[in-house]
Amino acid sequence: EVLLVSQFTLCHVLKGNKPDFHNAMGPEPAAQMFDAFVELMRAQYKPDKVKTGAFGQYMKVDITNDGPVTLVLDSPSKQPKPSPSPSSPQQSPPQK
């Protein structure tokens, strides 16, 4: 089964030691985007296996990871770029 939980309010910047949520998506477009994602997941997987919580509501979610893998998905633009390790050999540029 797949449990989809919206977390649009996680888009924040820190102002001092407090989070500022002005960059978070507004409720209406966020709900539309989330609904579109849910429909995409249901179209690509088993519709009866895709579950959601209540959008915009307080939810407490407990998980028991009963499998060999947990996947965390994030946008590629937010992923750090790997830096070459100092011990790895430097590649020379291709010769013409």
Side-chain angles (χ1 to χ4, degrees):
E1 291 187 327
V2 176
L3 175 61
L4 301 175
V5 178
S6 64
Q7 290 292 307
F8 286 88
T9 57
L10 292 180
C11 180
H12 73 281
V13 294
L14 288 177
K15 286 193 173 180
N17 61 354
K18 296 180 182 178
D20 177 357
F21 298 104
H22 286 93
N23 292 331
M25 188 178 279
E28 278 189 43
Q32 292 170 356
M33 179 183 266
F34 183 70
D35 290 343
F37 181 67
V38 170
E39 292 309 312
L40 179 68
M41 287 293 294
R42 287 182 173 148
Q44 298 293 318
Y45 191 55
K46 301 172 184 173
D48 60 317
K49 296 289 186 181
V50 178
K51 309 293 183 189
T52 66
F55 186 88
Q57 300 298 311
Y58 178 82
M59 291 179 282
K60 182 176 181 180
V61 178
D62 292 316
I63 180 174
T64 301
N65 189 9
D66 187 20
V69 177
T70 298
L71 300 176
V72 177
L73 305 177
D74 199 351
S75 72
S77 64
K78 301 291 183 187
Q79 298 297 322
K81 294 183 179 179
S83 58
S85 67
S87 62
S88 64
Q90 298 293 322
Q91 293 183 352
S92 56
Q95 297 183 0
K96 295 181 181 180

